[in-house]
Amino acid sequence: MKDFVHCVPTRFVFGRGAELKAGEQIRDFGGTKALILYGGGSAVRSGLLERVQKALSDAGVEYVCLGGVQPNPRDTLVYRGIELARREGVDFILAVGGGSVIDTGKAVAHGVCYDGDFWDLWCGKAKSRAALPVGVVLTMSAAGSESSNSCVITREATKTKRGLRSELNRPRFAIMNPELPMTLPPYQIASGATDILAHIMERYFTCETEVDLTDRLCEGAMTAVIRAARIAVKHPDCYDAQAQLMWASTIAHNDTLGVGRVQDFGSHQIEHELSALYDVAHGAGLAVVFPAWMRYHMHRNVARFAQFAVRVYGCEMNFERPEETALRGIEAHEAFLREIGMPLTLKELGARSEDIPALAAGTKKTNPDGTTGGVFHMTAQDIEAILRLADR
Ligand code: NZQ
Ligand code: ZN
């Protein structure tokens, strides 16, 4: 196991009606005037926004609102948020939504405290030194942004989607009411579950040895997510399934399951190119990329891929030909994704074969040698080959 420092300062307020505590939470963290961010309308239609506004008023917290965050959130709304927050003198950001709203909130929080163009922080031109405090009322179980150190924004003009990792990105609190995702369409529930699994798998397929505890935690979490997702896509009003997914979304991406391990995140970088170019749901993009990534790399650590097959999908171990077992695990994962309604090919996603070279070339290079991925370092040629595997 590798050495690590792990700090998740986010306070979790979990359960039915938890959004009514939004005002007192902001007060607790010293906020007096909040910018409430929300998305394209679901929070208005469900009455959630109104309940949150009342909770703030009841706690004596002033607020201004900015709606209209789109999935795969754009820099354009971030600029508007920064301008509004400065003009109104807000001292707290409250994101009411999923990953896109939360990430917009985080970006506004950095931008308000930075003198230049906030995108400097995302493209590596400058380092963020401060951010306003952010709180979250979570409406879908997926990205894990409610306690992650990450924030992903798309530069609209160039369709460049980039993440910023910073401990300043961890929200002060996350309000998690499993009733809220019940209004999601099944496709979004499935995309969310796929993203949750991908966050665990990015950590699970490590080259690190002696990580039995985190292996077992990952396997347990994946098994629970698979079970809960099967139920939630058919019965979105099942509180228990939504509750499992909601907590899994959080632990999957705040590194509770990833400490002490070399992690990969190459599939995520490839997917960000897809969602930037075609504006597809992030989880659906991962459903296409991840199995192809697994097929491409499994021979480099057959034992681990076979372990995944046996412990997560209950495949029988073939001791003579462990690569057969590894392959059965990938097939089982694909069958699960198919069962919950996810796409498995670029075509189903609406992606074009002729874009593959540009997608591969545009994928963010995360290593000093110009490759991508923490465990299996990939050149643009490797990424192109992976996308070709998905081009069916
Ligand atoms: O905009 P509204 O009307 O609210 O509709 C949203 C949106 O269309 C809808 N929705 C959310 N909650 C709902 C609901 N509809 C009905 N009832 C509810 N309770 O769902 C749609 C998708 O929302 P979005 O926030 O985009 O989904 P998600 O949480 O999957 O976030 C995806 C974004 O997060 C990034 C992704 O790249 C993508 O941009 N990620 C952020 C990460 C992070 N910050 O740690 C990590 C992830 O790997 C990911 O990259
Ligand atoms: Zn993700």
Side-chain angles (χ1 to χ4, degrees):
M1 199 200 293
K2 287 166 71 70
D3 297 347
F4 63 85
V5 175
H6 182 50
C7 177
V8 182
T10 308
R11 179 189 293 167
F12 303 105
V13 184
F14 195 100
R16 291 183 172 89
E19 64 273 16
L20 302 179
K21 298 178 180 151
E24 64 191 59
Q25 289 301 318
I26 293 175
R27 270 263 171 243
D28 249 23
F29 286 99
T32 59
K33 184 168 184 179
L35 169 62
I36 303 179
L37 285 164
Y38 59 97
S42 72
V44 177
R45 284 192 301 278
S46 65
L48 172 65
L49 185 64
E50 211 176 310
R51 293 202 297 285
V52 169
Q53 287 169 329
K54 183 169 179 322
L56 267 58
S57 299
D58 288 350
V61 176
E62 288 182 65
Y63 60 83
V64 287
C65 295
L66 179 63
V69 175
Q70 292 168 267
N72 302 314
R74 322 294 151 97
D75 59 343
T76 39
L77 200 84
V78 175
Y79 289 114
R80 283 180 54 202
I82 294 169
E83 201 269 319
L84 180 63
R86 282 187 179 147
R87 180 156 38 91
E88 293 286 340
V90 310
D91 55 16
F92 206 95
I93 308 287
L94 182 66
V96 180
S100 296
V101 175
I102 303 169
D103 285 1
T104 302
K106 290 178 178 182
V108 170
H110 285 278
V112 168
C113 300
Y114 178 67
D115 275 343
D117 180 349
F118 95 93
W119 189 254
D120 291 351
L121 311 170
W122 263 251
C123 66
K125 237 171 98 179
K127 197 170 158 46
S128 186
R129 308 257 168 235
L132 287 182
V134 175
V136 171
V137 177
L138 186 65
T139 64
M140 68 181 282
S141 311
S145 185
E146 62 273 13
S147 68
S148 77
N149 64 358
S150 162
C151 174
V152 189
I153 300 291
T154 299
R155 186 84 159 157
E156 190 154 6
T158 54
K159 294 200 164 138
T160 313
K161 190 174 187 183
R162 289 290 179 264
L164 173 72
R165 284 202 179 177
S166 158
E167 289 308 305
L168 293 169
N169 275 332
R170 307 254 192 202
R172 295 293 197 281
F173 65 82
I175 287 180
M176 306 169 76
N177 174 358
E179 292 174 324
L180 299 181
M182 291 179 184
T183 49
L184 278 166
Y187 186 81
Q188 285 294 347
I189 295 175
S191 294
T194 306
D195 192 20
I196 296 170
L197 284 174
H199 293 158
I200 304 172
M201 290 160 77
E202 297 279 20
R203 294 172 165 92
Y204 186 77
F205 292 111
T206 185
C207 51
E208 196 61 37
T209 55
E210 301 304 322
V211 285
D212 195 39
L213 174 64
T214 39
D215 268 3
R216 301 280 179 178
L217 289 171
C218 287
E219 290 152 2
M222 286 189 275
T223 314
V225 169
I226 291 164
R227 182 170 178 274
R230 283 187 168 125
I231 299 170
V233 291
K234 285 207 187 101
H235 309 287
D237 56 349
C238 175
Y239 182 89
D240 291 328
Q242 296 287 9
Q244 305 297 318
L245 289 177
M246 201 166 241
W247 189 239
S249 140
T250 300
I251 60 165
H253 202 36
N254 69 14
D255 232 15
T256 301
L257 307 179
V259 289
R261 308 167 72 92
V262 180
Q263 306 180 5
D264 196 81
F265 281 90
S267 297
H268 263 72
Q269 298 302 343
I270 302 174
E271 193 295 319
H272 285 167
E273 293 304 299
L274 292 173
S275 47
L277 187 60
Y278 306 112
D279 208 4
V280 293
H282 169 61
L286 285 167
V288 173
V289 173
F290 223 111
W293 177 92
M294 291 167 86
R295 283 180 192 278
Y296 191 73
H297 291 300
M298 61 166 247
H299 298 285
R300 297 167 72 180
N301 194 348
V302 171
R304 181 154 283 278
F305 282 85
Q307 177 179 299
F308 169 82
V310 171
R311 293 191 188 165
V312 178
Y313 280 106
C315 302
E316 200 177 321
M317 183 66 203
N318 183 335
F319 290 97
E320 261 134 52
R321 304 200 55 200
E323 62 281 7
E324 286 295 322
T325 313
L327 210 49
R328 294 292 91 78
I330 298 169
E331 287 165 0
H333 186 53
E334 286 174 328
F336 163 73
L337 294 171
R338 180 62 86 205
E339 180 190 334
I340 61 170
M342 284 288 93
L344 289 176
T345 67
L346 285 179
K347 279 191 189 62
E348 289 171 84
L349 209 56
R352 294 175 295 264
S353 312
E354 56 269 32
D355 293 337
I356 288 178
L359 289 164
T363 301
K364 185 177 174 184
K365 281 114 185 121
T366 55
N367 302 314
D369 64 356
T371 58
T372 302
V375 179
F376 302 125
H377 293 201
M378 301 180 289
T379 61
Q381 286 74 29
D382 292 317
I383 295 171
E384 192 168 330
I386 288 169
L387 288 168
R388 299 246 177 250
L389 284 178
D391 190 25
R392 290 175 275 139

